[in-house]
Every structure is written in structure tokens, then in C-alpha cells.
Amino acid sequence: MKEPKVFSLTTPVGRREFLKQTGVALSAVTLAGMLGEILASCASITGPNVTHGTTTINVASLTSDGQFLVDSNVNPDGTPILVIRQNASTYTALSMLCTHQGCQVNPPSGGIIYCACHGTRFDLHGNVLSGPAPSPLTNYGVTLNAAAKTITVTY
Ligand code: FES
């Protein structure tokens, strides 16, 4: 039967052995803590931080069709919400997260939403026009309050 280790702090050998043993134990605890933090940070890298809710966006500045704004107050998937006025009573709210490999797309230019990472082109409804992206941009639900000139976006 193995005897438990007993340390004596009164002798130099006991102190040295005690410090060696506690140093190993503290190093193990520190490494475990660091590993936990590394694993936690990897989780946020590998998957977007998707939340669900609603946000109200003022669209009074969008006075003609095709105009857009980028609202970065809420980032449901890690990217801002892109709001495009289709016409006076229809607004589209899109995720700016490219469905190819997750880059953030550029705001529209010339009626095209472009992803600079690999060249996917989307139309103003988020549909793929060309490029490697396999599916449209996420299209959030929109409810218009015409009197208040706001939209409520459900994400
Ligand atoms: S990530 Fe957008 S085209 Fe590849």
C-alpha cells in the first residue's frame, strides 16, 4: 500500500519538494484555465453569434427606390443589417453575411451587392446573380410603419 506524501515546511528538502509539487499543480490549473478560454474563443470563431429578436429602423432617409442604408446597431449574425428601399411600401432587410464562406458583403453599388472575397454578386433582393455563393443572402422579415417611416426587422 502506498503511503500518502507528507510535506514538512520545517526542513529545506521538505520545502523544496513542497514548492516543486505545488508549482506543478498550479501550472496544471493555469494551463487548464487557458485551454478553457482558448476553446471558448474558438466557439465564437467557428459559428456566427446568431440571436433572435426585432429591431426598429428609421427609413425616412430612403427617399427613392434602390436607396439603402446599413444599420450596424444590431448584428444578428455578426454583420450589419442592409436595408434597401424597393419602393415606397416595400423594404428589404438583408444579412450582409455572404453565404459562400462568411465574408461581409459590400453595400450595393450599381444595383449589385458584391462580395469581394470570391466575387459573388447578389441582386438587391439578395439573390445570387453569379459567383460561388450557393444561396441568397438571409432575408429578414420586415414590417413597415408608413406613418412613422420605420420598419421593424425580425431576425
Ligand atoms: S465569401 Fe463571399 S464569395 Fe466567397
Side-chain angles (χ1 to χ4, degrees), residues 98 100-103 115 117-120 132:
C98 182
H100 180 225
Q101 290 182 2
C103 290
C115 181
C117 284
H118 309 98
T120 294

Side-chain angles (χ1 to χ4, degrees), residues 32-99:
M34 289 170 63
L35 182 61
E37 286 192 26
I38 289 169
L39 289 174
S41 68
C42 286
S44 65
I45 291 170
T46 55
N49 184 20
V50 177
T51 56
H52 301 282
T54 59
T55 187
T56 300
I57 299 173
N58 188 315
V59 293
S61 64
L62 305 181
T63 55
S64 58
D65 300 348
Q67 284 188 319
F68 67 91
L69 61 83
V70 175
D71 187 305
S72 56
N73 291 317
V74 177
N75 300 277
D77 58 11
T79 66
I81 296 173
L82 173 63
V83 177
I84 302 166
R85 175 181 152 143
Q86 305 295 343
N87 59 53
S89 60
T90 308
Y91 293 81
T92 301
L94 300 171
S95 163
M96 296 185 77
L97 186 73
C98 182
T99 55

